[in-house]
Amino acid sequence: MHERIAESIAELGGRAWFAGGCVRDLLLGRDPLDFDIEVYGLSLDELETCLEKFGKVHAVGRSFGVLKFRSAEGVEVDFSLPRRENREGRGHRGFVVDLDPGISQEEACSRRDFTINAMLRDVLSGEIRDYFGGQDDLKAGILRHVGPAFEEDPLRVYRLMQFAARFDMEAVPETLELCRRMDLSELAPERVFEEFAKLMLLSKRPSRGWRVAEEAGILDYHPELLALVGCPQDPHWHPEGDVWVHTLMTVDAAVESRNGERFHDLALMFGALCHDLGKPSTTFPREDGRIVSPGHCESGAPLARQFMERICNSKELIESVERFTLLHLRPMQLYQARKKVGPGAIRRLALLVNIKELLEIARADHYGRSTEDALELDFPAGKWLLDIAEDLKVQEQAAEPLLLGRHLLEQGFTPGLEMGKVLKEAYEAQIEGDFEDLEGALQWLKERKPDE
């Protein structure tokens, strides 16, 4: 499809080039997430007319010189003309776009963020145009900004973070210094969240990106995370270092539990990131020299909500991260008290959280340390709890009530507050194991109901 369109563009006197990230990905031998094609030698109207022969064109980005194309086969590509962008206001809409057909390739590429994203590749011949050393930086694993235009879009600081993690690259000092001077406060929350999401979902080692975030000054805009840096931990339980070090190890460990479902993976990864946000406000040394953080789960839950609300508008995701933060120690606590823990406690936990998912957070927390058991990937509490939850059939959701309103009506109850009270008591009895099937529930009801 790309080649056929490029041939049609060439017949009209134009030339089509893959641009930006897809060139980088092709050079790395990766499948590009998406394709961007920059067209030289045609006007926007000529390009639109050409594309309409191959599929549908959406002109939503026309004022920016971008045409969104979708083929009959469902292939989506952004076609654009080379352009200049001059900043005249705040935010990502504060740009004036100049679609001058005389703009050279080098000038157009100079407007891009990093050298590894500032290359062009001819769609038909495969010829590479690299004006700023992108290929060399790609081979060296270096992230370097292209030029002065970098400062015009502060979102590029967050892109630096996620690129570092996704491609296992280092940012050069001059780029980091430039990032630290930039004001990130004007960025729309949804744009920040998407960069965080790419970091969390697309990298094998997210810690690489979070360390760059620290170096680039991003944490200054997320005080809940910044507070983790330098917060001490007891070396007996956490010989790896401070809470920030442990958090990054936990996030890396959580990667193993990603399953490709976006919501699950976001809740998992942000849950791992936020799980110890309560430690800075609760940590202190005891008289015996041990460092403790009593109540950090309870203190951390509102901080997790606060952090997530600043970048995210998904109520469900915010509540999931808050819940994981509050409960992440519960599996270990239950395991340590296992001789006293009955099935009711496990059923009650299932009322609060998906136990299987909570164990993914707890396991990552346990592995995110440098103790001997963590290094050996030994987490007996996880297997113990999951085995019991599976036996009780509550590993992913709470038990459904056995006794329902219709059963009470059949037994002669009158609809009203009393019936609701009985149903609530019945479910409590079920959770405690007083009965395990409908027959037992009806017997429980018979014994409870006073004689007429």
Side-chain angles (χ1 to χ4, degrees), residues 157-158 160-166 169 199 203 205-216 218-219 244 248 252:
V157 181
Y158 285 88
L160 175 75
M161 170 195 71
Q162 56 108 341
F163 285 145
R166 286 170 56 193
M169 303 181 81
L199 164 63
S203 60
R205 197 150 59 101
S207 62
R208 189 68 175 269
W210 286 112
R211 291 209 174 278
V212 169
E214 180 184 358
E215 295 170 342
I218 289 175
L219 298 192
W244 181 237
L248 298 192
D252 282 351

Side-chain angles (χ1 to χ4, degrees), residues 6 8 15 21 149 182 206 212 309 312 347 390 431 437:
S8 181
R15 193 169 178 182
M182 294 170 63
V212 169
E309 285 181 338
C312 171
R347 293 193 186 99
E390 288 178 343
I431 292 297
D437 53 28

